[in-house]
Amino acid sequence: MVLARRPKGALARIALSLTLLVPLASATTSAQSPPNAEPRAEPLTVLSWGGSYERAQRRALFTPFIEATGVPVKVERYDGGLTALRRAVQEDKVPWDVIDMTRSEAMAACAEGLLEPLSPDIVAPAPDGTPAEHDFIQGAFGACSITHSVFATVVAYRTDAFPGRRPTEIADLFDQRRFPGPRALQRTPSVNLEWALLSYNVPREELYRLLSTRRGLSLALSRLAGLEDLRWWETGSTPAELLIDGEVVMASGYNGRFFDAMINRDAPIAILWDGQVQEHEVWAIPRHAPHPEAARRFIRFATATERQAALTRFIPYGPSRHSATERITTHADSGIDMRLHIPTHPLNAEGAITKDEAWYAKTHDRIGDYFRAALFAEEQATEGD
């Protein structure tokens, strides 16, 4: 069963725009406008990932930016991919100003000339004056992107599905004899290939070397093909919903979405941190963006220490700045200590994999073709008829 099937080209899969509304006076010149408000500022259009993640960004980033600058922010839904971005850049009809994307896709897009160059100079120093290049984590500055968070793709499971013995390692995802029931995985080679090889006890440091060979790729794909009652998801909110509704007993997904389901919806699920795949989430500006200067202004604002720390009060993604990591406290609504739920916390990161985003950027199309041919051949044949 394929869930959430949509037209190809993920940027084309933009759902209903959500415009963050503020009083009219805040977006126009008036006595009530902020001193630095731009007169009749045009909206800044940001592509983000919807759901609890976007709600967190709205509270920590978008609304404060509107209040500080008077620039309205319009948010459109993004589920990853470069197809629509390629088309928009080629036609010089780019409707977006800022894209919140994974670093691997930003690297691929940058190599194709789809993104504007971004200088580290646009970000602010730490509150104590530490230069940004010393405050950000290693690899945060790309040629066309700046890392703002570190998130993890993890496996979560229903706690009531396994009342005795519970999953403890990523290999349990593939063990449907000891842990029976339907699974849900993201419809992408990323993370799934790594987990499949880990289930063969391949050392973490050998994963990408082996995936670069036909033998390694075949092993991974055959392991995935061997899963019974497997459902594929495309939208970040789907796996938590499948678990909550009891349609699956295990699902891959983003750690922040599962946290939101556990804390705000009292969902009977738990996160399996073993094998978590950490990845950088970045800000990027598409080539031919209609408001590039406003986009750079927003990125400077959103990557400031105070804003990064504020985001962790709503969703547990690791900040890209050391100064922000030191300021992680509690969940804004529940009071839970957020430090224990960040993927980079030592207790959670013991069995972590750092995604080789350069490898994915170089092999993006080839690996994707192998993945689709091995697991969706029947579906592709039907579409071709």
Side-chain angles (χ1 to χ4, degrees):
M1 175 181 180
V2 177
L3 294 171
R5 291 184 58 194
R6 300 163 183 242
K8 292 185 178 180
L11 278 171
R13 300 194 294 262
I14 297 173
L16 184 65
S17 299
L18 299 174
T19 304
L20 301 179
L21 299 177
V22 294
L24 182 62
S26 68
T28 59
T29 303
S30 74
Q32 297 178 355
S33 299
N36 56 345
E38 296 181 358
R40 299 189 180 278
E42 295 184 8
L44 185 79
T45 302
V46 179
L47 282 186
S48 189
W49 298 80
S52 58
Y53 179 57
E54 184 187 312
R55 290 194 296 273
Q57 288 182 312
R58 190 180 309 175
R59 295 175 71 178
L61 306 178
F62 301 147
T63 298
F65 179 75
I66 295 169
E67 293 172 347
T69 67
V71 178
V73 176
K74 180 173 140 184
V75 185
E76 294 186 350
R77 179 63 170 269
Y78 177 53
D79 288 325
L82 303 179
T83 302
L85 176 60
R86 290 189 185 105
R87 182 170 59 251
V89 170
Q90 289 169 359
E91 296 174 357
D92 197 5
K93 296 179 179 178
V94 177
W96 319 290
D97 296 300
V98 180
I99 306 178
D100 183 349
M101 61 199 311
T102 63
R103 186 171 63 169
S104 56
E105 290 203 326
M107 292 169 71
C110 187
E112 292 185 36
L114 304 178
L115 301 177
E116 293 285 341
L118 272 184
S119 169
D121 294 340
I122 73 169
V123 300
D128 66 358
T130 299
E133 59 266 28
H134 298 308
D135 192 36
F136 276 74
I137 60 176
Q138 184 176 359
F141 298 112
C144 303
S145 65
I146 295 175
T147 298
H148 60 76
S149 301
V150 177
F151 72 96
T153 302
V154 297
V155 168
Y157 59 90
R158 284 192 64 100
T159 54
D160 56 3
F162 313 112
R165 180 171 49 192
R166 292 189 177 182
T168 58
E169 57 185 19
I170 197 61
D172 294 336
L173 171 68
F174 300 92
D175 191 343
Q176 289 180 295
R177 181 183 60 82
R178 295 171 63 232
F179 302 100
R183 269 58 165 166
L185 296 176
Q186 189 176 11
R187 189 179 167 121
T188 176
S190 174
V191 178
N192 292 322
L193 297 179
E194 289 92 327
W195 285 345
L197 289 188
L198 283 179
S199 72
Y200 290 110
N201 293 318
V202 173
R204 286 167 173 75
E205 60 272 15
E206 294 293 322
L207 289 175
Y208 295 103
R209 184 193 65 78
L210 190 55
L211 283 174
S212 298
T213 68
R214 278 191 180 275
R215 176 175 172 271
L217 200 54
S218 296
L219 281 171
L221 292 171
S222 64
R223 182 68 97 193
L224 291 167
L227 283 171
E228 298 177 356
D229 203 357
L230 174 61
R231 311 185 186 196
W232 296 101
W233 61 267
E234 297 181 10
T235 303
S237 58
T238 300
E241 295 298 330
L242 290 173
L243 286 168
I244 291 170
D245 294 342
E247 294 187 39
V248 301
V249 297
M250 283 191 194
S252 69
Y254 308 129
N255 73 285
R257 305 293 183 116
F258 291 137
F259 172 87
D260 179 75
M262 290 186 291
I263 299 304
N264 294 324
R265 301 175 65 180
D266 199 26
I269 62 178
I271 290 176
L272 174 63
W273 286 105
D274 182 59
Q276 62 147 306
V277 179
Q278 295 181 1
E279 187 168 1
H280 287 211
E281 192 71 11
V282 306
W283 295 118
I285 301 174
R287 189 177 172 193
H288 306 316
H291 309 105
E293 290 309 312
R296 289 182 174 85
R297 185 179 182 185
F298 169 78
I299 292 173
R300 180 181 178 88
F301 179 89
T303 55
T305 296
E306 297 81 2
R307 291 301 99 211
Q308 288 199 6
L311 186 64
T312 67
R313 299 210 65 202
F314 303 104
I315 197 161
Y317 292 150
S320 63
R321 303 189 73 137
H322 301 300
S323 57
T325 299
E326 295 169 355
R327 298 182 179 208
I328 298 174
T329 57
T330 57
H331 187 250
D333 300 321
S334 68
I336 289 175
D337 187 344
M338 294 296 273
R339 292 172 296 181
L340 301 177
H341 298 275
I342 298 290
T344 50
H345 188 282
L347 291 176
N348 300 331
E350 185 176 351
I353 300 165
T354 300
K355 183 178 179 180
D356 190 335
E357 293 157 321
W359 183 85
Y360 271 107
K362 289 186 294 185
T363 63
H364 185 274
D365 292 338
R366 179 173 62 86
I367 296 299
D369 289 343
Y370 278 124
F371 180 77
R372 288 184 291 272
L375 300 173
F376 305 100
E378 184 176 336
E379 178 185 322
Q380 289 181 311
T382 302
E383 290 178 352
D385 291 342

